[in-house]
């Protein structure tokens, strides 16, 4: 497939299964396809490094960045972004 959606693929996985999923995704990454990876947790992004990170609230993308945005979210939580929106 050219466009792949992985919606909370990490939900309920133990660390070994998470690594297996990440390995499979990383093997499938190519210049002629893309993945929309939906997750709430940095752990998966430690194994599948994102090119672009979007933060969605109430169905709207409210912030976009690179992998550093995901790292910042992991440290600060979502409040720092939500406060900017208020």
């Amino acid at each position: 497939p050219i466009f792949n959606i992985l919606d909370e693929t990490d939900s309920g996985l133990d660390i070994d299964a998470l690594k297996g999923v990440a390995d499979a995704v990383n093997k499938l990454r190519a210049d002629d396809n893309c993945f929309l990876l939906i997750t709430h947790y940095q752990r998966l992004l430690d194994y599948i490094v994102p090119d672009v990170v979007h933060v969605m609230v109430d169905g709207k993308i409210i912030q976009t960045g690179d992998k550093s945005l995901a790292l910042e979210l992991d440290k600060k939580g979502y409040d720092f972004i939500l406060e900017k929106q208020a």
Side-chain angles (χ1 to χ4, degrees):
I2 295 170
F3 184 71
N4 305 274
I5 300 173
L6 303 175
D7 187 4
E8 298 193 36
T9 306
D10 50 344
S11 180
L13 297 182
D14 65 32
I15 190 65
D16 292 328
L18 184 71
K19 287 180 183 178
V21 167
D23 288 344
V25 170
N26 285 324
K27 286 178 184 173
L28 293 171
R29 288 177 83 165
D31 290 339
D32 63 349
N33 69 18
C34 66
F35 289 86
L36 173 61
L37 178 63
I38 302 164
T39 185
H40 291 96
Y41 304 106
Q42 177 61 40
R43 178 183 274 179
L44 183 59
L45 301 180
D46 289 338
Y47 301 110
I48 303 172
V49 179
D51 297 315
V52 177
V53 173
H54 299 291
V55 178
M56 182 179 279
V57 175
D58 296 327
K60 295 179 183 176
I61 295 174
I62 62 169
Q63 187 158 347
T64 298
D66 59 15
K67 66 182 180 180
S68 65
L69 176 57
L71 293 169
E72 189 173 17
L73 283 168
D74 193 50
K75 289 180 186 175
K76 296 179 178 179
Y78 290 96
D79 285 344
F80 86 99
I81 290 178
L82 296 174
E83 289 169 0
K84 290 180 189 178
Q85 301 301 308

